[in-house]
Amino acid sequence: MLKDWKLKEIVLMSLFGVVFGIVYLVFIHFGNIWAGIIGPIAYEWMFGIWFIVSIISMYIIRKPGAAVLPETLAALIEVLLGNAVGPRLILSGLVQGLGAEAAFAATRYRHFNLAILMLAGAGSAVFSFIYGYFISGYAALDPSFVAFMFTLRVLSGMVIAGMGGKYIADGLLATGSLRGYAISRSGKGDAGA
Amino acid sequence: MKHLLNDMNPSFKFVIVTLSMIVMAFFFNPWTPLIFCCGIVLLQILFSQTNWKLWLVCMLPFAFGAFGYLWTTIVFGRASSGTIIWSSGFFDITDQQLNLALSLSFRVLAFSVLSLMFAFTTAPVKFVMSLMQQMKLSPKLAYSVLVGYHFLPLIKDEFVQIKQVHEMRNVAVKNSRWLRLTSIYGMLIPTLASSVRKAESAAFAMEARGFTGEPRTSYFRPIRIKPRDYWLSLLFSALLAASCIIGVLLEK
Amino acid sequence: MPEEVIRLNNLSFRFPDCSKAVLHNVSAIIHRGERIAICGPSGCGKSTLLYLLNRLYPLNCDGIVSGEIRLFGKNGEHYAPGEINRRIATVFQDPDAQFCMPTVEEELAFTLENLHIPQADMEERIAGILSLTSLTEWRHSKIHSLSGGMKQRVAVACALIMDPEVLLLDEPLSHLDPVTARDFVCWLDRLQQLRQLTIIAVEHRLVHWKSFFKREIRLGKDGRVIADGPPAEIPALLFPSRLSGKAAEEALRIQGLAVEIDGKTRLSPLSFSLTRGEVTIVAGPNGSGKTTLLKALCGIHQASGTIQAISRRGYVPQSPEFMFLTQSVSQEVAYSGISSLQEIKGLMNRLDLSTIADSHPFSVSHGQKRRVAVGAMLADKRQILLMDEPTAGQDAASLQELYTLIGQRTAEGAAFVIVTHDMSFALAVADSVVLLKDGAMTGKYSAADFWTRDDLLLAHHLLAPEGVAIHEASIE
């Protein structure tokens, strides 16, 4: 799979991981303050920020693996930076990335419109929720509460990762700095379809 | 002795930590995570040199999180049988529910202790090198991650610069919290645009020095597997097994 | 005649998304041991040519090549990826974006690992190259803690450890201060003689290289070779003469300005004043607090002391795009809403921005970006403009454009405080010079008598520009 990748594309994904790692830190301050008071639900609404690297990378690079790789790389970088959540992140990064990748694979990497990007955001949310359900023991919680958490996370994936990711990548595209990447070659073809 | 954990092969440590977390997820009694938690701290005290003050500071947010978990599970817990041990106007707490809540919040603590053990005793670059040498991580990925890691201070610096300049232009409008959040978007675009450029120069520089991404045949500083890595892994596994067994026994 | 190493036969190149060719029918033969400068204006394809020589292009950009590149007697296309890079090594422009390991030693080892050198031989080669390049004492230094000049030396060492026959350099001096640049050239001169290297450098200003190059290939704007031969006499960059816009009215007076960040003194108390239409150059070694001074003046850094001024100060960072907030040039200038529509229109016309009013501010040329930034500041009614390193990495045309921009604005009564390493530019533009060293101000000097003070210049890592003599003569 990696054979088709240019080195500059992989390094780009890695740097995106760093940038969004910083953004995530900004947000996690909001989360941490609330987590003690309102419990783990404090993080649910902003889960989408975690998935955004996948969406942006896939939207820009458009190659199989462009969703799962950056998410895993981003998690690995977080660990290198001494993120206290540690090695667990790598596993959850992989799972989330697979969720988004599944959505793109299901459409055979042909279309990259808003609906599919939002679907990919939702995919990440679903996968990460299943993983969380197991590892954090959501089974112990009241089903209606679990359903509420799930809805919140999926919405966050669709809105923050899907819509937000497209918005950011389009903003970046407009600057003209993405020349030489698939997104620039695609023309107007599928961007709005 | 005091460096044993720091010297342990990072890939071994990584596998053990991940494995422990997965195993831990199958246990719903409060004792297993609690015993495991204490065991890990004990090992870290014995076999590593740790800045415990810093450790406590890092632990604090997790402790908050664990507390949040505790009461969420009590209040929003699945309805269950068992003896009611405390009752308020809105909800009753049964002993089973309390057990479960304690178990989940101790699990949060156990994960945190484990993560901090890893973070405090593992050198980042060595970890990636070991992933490449022992876990066959593709050099393309490994070195890209290292590039990202080294660019962090640079990118952070740029982010701060962009933020400063934007604030200078926005003196009048920066006061609401919502606007501050939306201003992150304005800061992101220049940061990302400059990352795109940097990624290309870095990739070119690597290729210009003969980096093709194929597996390497020799390393300047090979990271080896030594007998102590097996012994330590065994020790961790024993701790894991002991806390699982004792936990289950104690619950009965 | 020494043997031939590179031969270009009617080489043309274009990018896939652009119908216009970047290089047109370039032909040249390069022999072992030659020292060649590739010169030309921005966008003439000099860097592209370099990337074709080390085979980073066309693969990395899917570019379209016609003609032939023969490397060491073999068609360039017949080399496996990475194979040619061992014989043709490259040093890039940006000292911060060409390393991937933390220390000098590990970075060198990275290169050796790429070449599949057995571990047993690595130590000897690393020690050897470090002593050849006089970098032994930096062996265990963290690369990111080194100065720009040292980073470029490390980059050269990393290239030379491959034992290459050809060394390509992509504007290696553009981020260095004048003294550091001069030292780098001397150092490279010695290395070239020791190793009998062929050196090919892209450079748009040969001033700092003195007589280093023996041959110059000059490309025209359209990517054709317009000259190939011994380097042309280096013309001192001549700026059209300018009447100082300095007026009597005081624009800015600062007293006891000091900056402390995280308990560390970054700027010791300093005082000076500025009149309308005055251009002050701030100069000093890297890390002497020049940028801190600008940021304190415009309020980005908290500072103690007093600032009295006719207006707020506007700051233009080295990368002007850092300050852009909108999607078009016209919105960017109008962003703050302080100036009326009429005023904005006039301003856009005077800055020659009307033709690109609807373009995305990121997608215009560097010179245009800078004009947009200046326009945005002037539209904010900021009459005192602080520019951080506007000359770094700029070619002659871009510098002349900047010169004109400053001249016109000072005539309208704006004052400038400019940080720069480019002393020939400073000579042309400055009314006065503020010298900084180690976070303290040495003094503010009138430009008229500053350039002959060799003691002052050297103490602040500066070199009198080539043009001083001419300048003096023209005054007499």
Side-chain angles (χ1 to χ4, degrees):
Chain A
M1 182 167 82
L2 279 176
K3 272 226 165 308
D4 304 331
W5 286 75
K6 288 176 190 150
L7 186 61
K8 66 172 187 176
E9 291 169 335
I10 302 183
V11 177
L12 181 69
M13 290 191 309
S14 167
L15 292 200
F16 278 2
V18 175
V19 173
F20 286 99
I22 298 173
V23 174
Y24 193 72
L25 282 183
V26 176
F27 277 85
I28 208 148
H29 281 300
F30 287 94
N32 271 343
I33 302 164
W34 291 103
I37 308 165
I38 60 173
I41 204 128
Y43 300 106
E44 293 298 334
W45 69 271
M46 57 181 208
F47 241 90
I49 303 171
W50 261 137
F51 313 148
I52 210 166
V53 186
S54 299
I55 310 272
I56 292 180
S57 299
M58 180 58 91
Y59 188 48
I60 291 175
I61 297 171
R62 309 192 171 183
K63 283 182 182 171
V68 66
L69 276 177
E71 200 63 59
T72 320
L73 289 188
L76 183 54
I77 287 174
E78 285 288 301
V79 176
L80 294 192
L81 302 180
N83 186 315
V85 181
R88 181 158 49 122
L89 269 178
I90 298 177
L91 209 58
S92 51
L94 184 69
V95 171
Q96 289 162 12
L98 280 174
E101 191 77 37
F104 291 113
T107 54
R108 301 189 177 188
Y109 303 101
R110 277 206 197 123
H111 304 285
F112 298 92
N113 55 35
L114 183 61
I116 290 179
L117 297 183
M118 287 174 75
L119 180 71
S124 284
V126 172
F127 272 52
S128 84
F129 198 84
I130 295 172
Y131 171 74
Y133 190 90
F134 166 69
I135 206 92
S136 307
Y138 296 160
L141 298 172
D142 189 77
S144 62
F145 186 74
V146 174
F148 176 59
M149 280 169 74
F150 179 72
T151 318
L152 214 53
R153 192 178 295 191
V154 171
L155 279 178
S156 169
M158 287 167 70
V159 174
I160 297 188
M163 292 170 74
K166 183 170 188 315
Y167 186 54
I168 290 171
D170 283 339
L172 189 58
L173 180 66
T175 67
S177 43
L178 290 174
R179 239 168 265 151
Y181 294 91
I183 188 173
S184 297
R185 286 193 290 275
S186 78
K188 290 151 209 139
D190 53 11
Chain B
M1 279 298 264
K2 272 305 236 180
H3 285 286
L4 223 48
L5 278 177
N6 304 68
D7 293 340
M8 185 179 176
N9 184 297
S11 292
F12 268 68
K13 214 187 305 175
F14 173 64
V15 171
I16 279 288
V17 165
T18 314
L19 217 65
S20 306
M21 287 183 184
I22 293 174
V23 169
M24 202 66 55
F26 287 99
F27 290 85
F28 288 90
N29 70 72
W31 298 107
T32 299
L34 186 62
I35 296 169
F36 190 69
C37 210
C38 299
I40 293 290
V41 174
L42 188 70
L43 286 180
Q44 200 176 342
I45 291 174
L46 288 177
F47 297 136
S48 80
Q49 277 180 326
T50 301
N51 177 351
W52 290 99
K53 232 188 220 162
L54 187 65
W55 187 89
L56 274 176
V57 173
C58 293
M59 201 57 198
L60 210 63
F62 291 117
F64 268 124
F67 177 73
Y69 235 94
L70 183 70
W71 79 254
T72 310
T73 322
I74 290 176
V75 176
F76 298 106
R78 192 189 280 275
S80 62
S81 51
T83 3
I84 293 172
I85 49 171
W86 191 73
S87 176
S88 79
F90 305 102
F91 52 86
D92 305 324
I93 300 173
T94 66
D95 55 348
Q96 274 187 11
Q97 227 169 353
L98 184 68
N99 256 357
L100 201 58
L102 281 175
S103 160
L104 288 188
S105 45
F106 283 147
R107 191 192 285 181
V108 172
L109 284 182
F111 284 1
S112 315
V113 165
L114 208 52
S115 299
L116 286 182
M117 186 276 287
F118 185 87
F120 272 76
T121 61
T122 313
V125 176
K126 214 171 133 191
F127 177 44
V128 177
M129 288 309 203
S130 165
L131 283 180
M132 185 165 60
Q133 296 181 32
Q134 270 89 48
M135 309 279 278
K136 303 284 168 253
L137 177 70
S138 145
K140 256 188 186 173
L141 294 179
Y143 284 102
S144 297
V145 166
L146 286 180
V147 169
Y149 174 63
H150 292 305
F151 273 24
L152 177 88
L154 219 67
I155 293 177
K156 229 182 193 162
D157 222 50
E158 275 189 18
F159 205 67
V160 171
Q161 276 211 38
I162 292 167
K163 184 166 167 254
Q164 290 173 339
V165 185
H166 283 195
E167 276 175 6
M168 173 197 74
R169 295 192 66 186
N170 272 328
V171 212
V173 284
K174 72 168 179 187
N175 286 320
S176 94
R177 175 165 275 199
W178 173 245
L179 269 174
R180 227 181 297 160
L181 271 182
T182 53
S183 73
I184 289 184
Y185 172 76
M187 279 153 28
L188 257 179
I189 297 298
T191 314
L192 289 174
S194 134
S195 310
V196 174
R197 265 198 309 272
K198 284 201 175 64
E200 184 164 294
S201 346
F204 280 9
M206 286 160 80
E207 287 183 351
R209 283 202 263 132
F211 181 77
T212 54
E214 31 176 298
R216 324 197 122 210
T217 44
S218 57
Y219 290 95
F220 178 56
R221 293 242 172 75
I223 295 183
R224 302 182 197 287
I225 300 171
K226 296 198 170 140
R228 62 153 185 259
D229 295 318
Y230 293 102
W231 286 114
L232 281 168
S233 306
L234 215 62
L235 194 61
F236 277 111
S237 313
L239 173 64
L240 183 64
S243 42
C244 290
I245 295 167
I246 298 174
V248 172
L249 289 178
L250 276 177
E251 204 193 12
K252 282 183 183 159
Chain C
M1 198 94 191
E3 66 176 301
E4 163 187 325
V5 286
I6 296 172
R7 175 192 286 265
L8 307 176
N9 281 334
N10 287 322
L11 180 70
S12 297
F13 177 86
R14 70 178 178 87
F15 287 103
D17 48 358
C18 179
S19 58
K20 210 174 128 258
V22 185
L23 293 171
H24 260 298
N25 286 335
V26 174
S27 296
I29 297 172
I30 294 166
H31 297 96
R32 190 173 298 280
E34 277 199 281
R35 298 173 172 200
I36 299 175
I38 302 175
C39 304
S42 292
C44 70
K46 1 182 235 308
S47 296
T48 307
L49 181 58
L50 210 65
Y51 293 165
L52 283 167
L53 293 181
N54 59 20
R55 306 285 303 150
L56 284 173
Y57 281 0
L59 222 62
N60 264 309
C61 65
D62 304 313
I64 295 135
V65 188
S66 69
E68 191 190 28
I69 308 173
R70 291 190 79 79
L71 306 170
F72 308 105
K74 203 166 119 183
N75 189 320
E77 286 164 30
H78 297 156
Y79 287 94
E83 189 185 348
I84 197 64
N85 301 110
R86 289 150 212 201
R87 303 178 72 181
I88 302 183
T90 315
V91 172
F92 294 87
Q93 181 177 9
D94 185 352
D96 286 317
Q98 49 183 319
F99 302 107
C100 58
M101 301 295 286
T103 68
V104 175
E105 178 191 55
E106 288 166 293
E107 191 66 38
L108 289 166
F110 166 76
T111 313
L112 293 178
E113 287 171 3
N114 291 339
L115 306 188
H116 302 281
I117 306 290
Q119 194 209 352
D121 301 344
M122 286 186 183
E123 174 56 39
E124 198 192 322
R125 280 186 77 162
I126 290 176
I129 205 71
L130 285 170
S131 92
L132 177 78
T133 54
S134 331
L135 289 172
T136 307
E137 59 178 302
W138 285 276
R139 179 172 182 151
H140 299 286
S141 302
K142 296 256 182 237
I143 294 178
H144 72 86
S145 68
L146 297 174
S147 68
M150 286 310 291
K151 281 181 189 152
Q152 283 308 58
R153 289 188 187 201
V154 173
V156 173
C158 288
L160 292 184
I161 201 170
M162 297 193 283
D163 228 343
E165 292 152 69
V166 179
L167 182 63
L168 306 179
L169 302 159
D170 191 359
E171 301 191 26
L173 307 185
S174 63
H175 288 75
L176 309 184
D177 68 45
V179 171
T180 312
R182 183 192 61 186
D183 294 348
F184 180 83
V185 172
C186 292
W187 176 84
L188 194 66
D189 183 63
R190 189 178 61 86
L191 280 179
Q192 193 273 342
Q193 287 172 11
L194 279 173
R195 282 286 182 102
Q196 277 312 299
L197 280 166
T198 310
I199 292 186
I200 304 173
V202 159
E203 191 57 77
H204 48 233
R205 299 184 65 201
L206 294 176
V207 179
H208 293 300
W209 293 89
K210 297 274 185 320
S211 59
F212 183 89
F213 294 109
K214 305 295 178 243
R215 176 177 168 194
E216 177 186 347
I217 298 177
R218 182 164 286 277
L219 297 177
K221 192 98 198 150
D222 58 350
R224 288 174 208 275
V225 177
I226 52 174
D228 185 352
E233 196 56 34
I234 300 162
L237 191 54
L238 277 183
F239 295 96
S241 63
R242 174 181 84 94
L243 283 177
S244 168
K246 203 167 179 311
E249 188 193 345
E250 194 169 83
L252 173 75
R253 168 174 291 276
I254 60 174
Q255 262 168 335
L257 185 83
V259 177
E260 199 174 276
I261 300 170
D262 300 331
K264 259 201 212 146
T265 306
R266 295 301 172 87
L267 217 51
S268 313
L270 53 83
S271 310
F272 65 87
S273 63
L274 206 64
T275 65
R276 267 181 184 275
E278 181 173 350
V279 179
T280 290
I281 296 292
V282 179
N286 287 334
S288 56
K290 305 187 290 288
T291 300
T292 313
L293 172 61
L294 294 197
K295 286 188 173 172
L297 283 176
C298 66
I300 285 176
H301 285 328
Q302 289 283 332
S304 55
T306 56
I307 302 178
Q308 290 170 300
I310 49 163
S311 76
R312 287 187 295 156
R313 276 73 58 203
Y315 176 68
V316 179
Q318 184 179 347
S319 316
E321 70 242 40
F322 280 5
M323 60 191 286
F324 296 158
L325 294 154
T326 66
Q327 305 267 332
S328 80
V329 166
S330 53
Q331 284 173 31
E332 204 58 52
V333 176
Y335 180 75
S336 67
I338 291 175
S339 290
S340 70
L341 275 178
Q342 205 60 40
E343 287 171 311
I344 301 269
K345 213 167 162 214
L347 190 60
M348 299 263 297
N349 279 332
R350 277 179 287 140
L351 285 164
D352 199 12
L353 292 173
S354 309
T355 47
I356 52 164
D358 298 323
S359 306
H360 196 289
F362 276 80
S363 65
V364 298
S365 78
H366 188 86
Q368 288 168 332
K369 281 179 192 165
R370 197 167 46 215
R371 293 210 301 270
V372 176
V374 167
M377 291 293 106
L378 291 174
D380 277 12
K381 307 266 156 113
R382 299 174 192 252
Q383 290 291 312
I384 301 164
L385 293 168
L386 318 168
M387 301 183 97
D388 202 352
E389 296 275 8
T391 55
Q394 303 301 303
D395 65 1
S398 169
L399 286 179
Q400 254 143 6
E401 187 194 313
L402 175 65
Y403 177 82
T404 314
L405 174 71
I406 293 170
Q408 287 170 349
R409 302 288 83 73
T410 49
E412 294 168 6
F416 281 85
V417 181
I418 300 171
V419 168
T420 182
H421 283 311
D422 187 332
M423 288 301 116
S424 50
F425 181 78
L427 172 70
V429 81
D431 294 307
S432 53
V433 179
V434 167
L435 283 183
L436 289 181
K437 197 180 180 187
D438 301 326
M441 183 168 124
T442 316
K444 185 180 179 215
Y445 305 89
S446 141
D449 51 48
F450 173 72
W451 299 105
T452 46
R453 301 278 304 271
D454 287 338
D455 53 328
L456 270 179
L457 285 165
L458 209 61
H460 294 81
H461 261 229
L462 305 170
L463 287 176
E466 296 286 314
V468 168
I470 307 168
H471 195 71
E472 304 269 288
S474 72
I475 289 170
E476 284 160 21

